[in-house]
Amino acid sequence: MIENPEDSIRISFSDLKLLLVKIFVRFGVSEANAAILAENCAGCERDGSMSHGVFRIPGYVATLRSGWVDGKAVPTIEDGGEAFVRVDARNGFAQPALAAATPLLIEKASRCGAAVLAIRNSHHFSALWPDLEPLARKGFVALSMVSGLACVAPPGSAKPIMGTNPIAFATPVAGADPFVFDFATSAMSNGDLRIAAREGHNVPPGTGVDAEGLLSEDPKRILAGGSLLPFGGHKGFALSLMVEVLASALTGGQFSTEVNFSAHPGAETPKTGQALILIDPTCGNNDAFASRVAHLIELVRQSGGTRLPSDRRYRTRAASERDGIRLSASTYEQLRSFAQ
């Protein structure tokens, strides 16, 4: 690590993972689960997904301290049918549950052409794209969604009903990195809203309402008893409802309105559910699939359009692997203090 003039440090991906593993283990996570969570969190930081990188570590720590989540949980995998896998995360984090179920999910999708994974009793506190990119690199098309803590109001309302309810999609692309997108169905993710409040700048109009139900561009007012709003009005609202149906009702997890950690002061992670649909695009002799996707993406690039989703993430990853991951000195010291 090298100190630089901007009062920050550079740290390698492997060193950051090791540091995060120490933190997770110190606060009650098993070694196996800690390795999965550290890979996920360090990967978000490496790739520039700041709202889901080490920014989340204080929330992880506070949640583990509160007893709200079981860091040592061992998920139970249930064979739900020819093309269906159910997993009870047993009040643990979603990523270890996904990791445990992935071999069976891939086997079913390869045999049947597609398969569904339904995870319940799980805590997801990160981005969704890290869940899907590895599957696309194996040649699969993947779609996932997760419900969360109620903080988003339907259009015309000030009462939070839904979580930010993100949707992520990934597909292989011949000769290139997978095409991956991941976005909240709210106008802004809760993490980005909290970062805006921390840094003291306003958010775009239409992002949310305050406690009185009035539109506000002040993130602190939105967080203080207000609500985020869906993106795109009724269209984003419909997508958010779809996420509740698939990630909560289908999985057997809690709806966003049912998440209640009031008995666990400091808890932040929503205990809901996650749905994942995995498709083998080569079924039915469609071996040209990845090449066709590559052709489509090339047409988009030739049109002179803006960057595609995941372009910036891959560029940031390459820079981080070359130069190290930049952390502010204060953030690095905070991580070290948690680890010790």
Side-chain angles (χ1 to χ4, degrees), residues 158-317:
K159 182 179 180 180
I161 299 294
M162 295 140 331
T164 56
N165 290 11
I167 301 172
F169 170 84
T171 180
V173 180
D177 289 313
F179 169 76
V180 187
F181 71 71
D182 177 6
F183 59 79
T185 53
S186 53
M188 176 177 284
S189 73
N190 187 262
D192 285 333
L193 182 70
R194 290 166 59 193
I195 288 176
R198 183 185 68 182
E199 296 180 351
H201 60 76
N202 284 351
V203 295
T207 296
V209 295
D210 62 19
E212 284 71 48
L214 301 175
L215 287 170
S216 177
E217 299 173 26
D218 183 346
K220 293 181 180 179
R221 289 182 64 84
I222 296 172
L223 289 167
S227 300
L228 285 162
L229 293 173
F231 80 85
H234 67 283
K235 294 182 180 180
F237 170 63
L239 288 173
S240 188
L241 277 180
M242 178 193 74
V243 172
E244 291 282 341
V245 170
L246 294 178
S248 291
L250 179 68
T251 65
Q254 295 186 110
F255 290 120
S256 297
T257 54
E258 295 172 330
V259 178
N260 181 6
F261 39 50
S262 58
H264 300 268
E268 293 187 25
T269 61
K271 178 185 176 184
T272 53
Q274 178 179 2
L276 194 154
I277 301 168
L278 194 65
I279 302 169
D280 181 352
T282 64
C283 282
N285 298 316
N286 189 16
D287 294 335
F289 172 80
S291 297
R292 292 279 289 160
V293 175
H295 176 64
L296 175 62
I297 288 178
E298 184 58 28
L299 290 176
V300 174
R301 296 197 189 283
Q302 291 176 358
S303 73
T306 58
R307 64 177 172 84
L308 288 168
S310 68
D311 281 352
R312 182 174 62 183
R313 184 160 58 243
Y314 291 133
R315 286 198 301 269
T316 304
R317 180 182 303 176

Side-chain angles (χ1 to χ4, degrees), residues 43-123:
C44 288
E45 191 71 25
R46 173 199 62 198
D47 293 1
S49 298
M50 302 307 185
S51 61
H52 294 89
V54 298
F55 167 77
R56 295 275 181 170
I57 290 298
Y60 276 115
V61 168
T63 299
L64 288 162
R65 278 174 163 165
S66 75
W68 168 244
V69 62
D70 181 1
K72 292 183 170 65
V74 177
T76 301
I77 301 173
E78 305 161 1
D79 192 332
E82 283 297 306
F84 209 108
V85 181
R86 289 191 179 276
V87 180
D88 184 349
R90 303 180 66 84
N91 195 35
F93 291 106
Q95 289 87 351
L98 172 60
T102 292
L104 180 59
L105 179 68
I106 288 176
E107 186 273 323
K108 287 178 178 287
S110 299
R111 176 161 44 85
C112 300
V116 175
L117 173 63
I119 303 174
R120 67 185 185 277
N121 296 327
S122 59
H123 298 251

Side-chain angles (χ1 to χ4, degrees), residues 9 20 62 107 129 137 236 251 258 265 320:
I9 60 97
L20 297 184
E107 186 273 323
W129 63 262
R137 291 193 181 278
T251 65
E258 295 172 330
S320 295

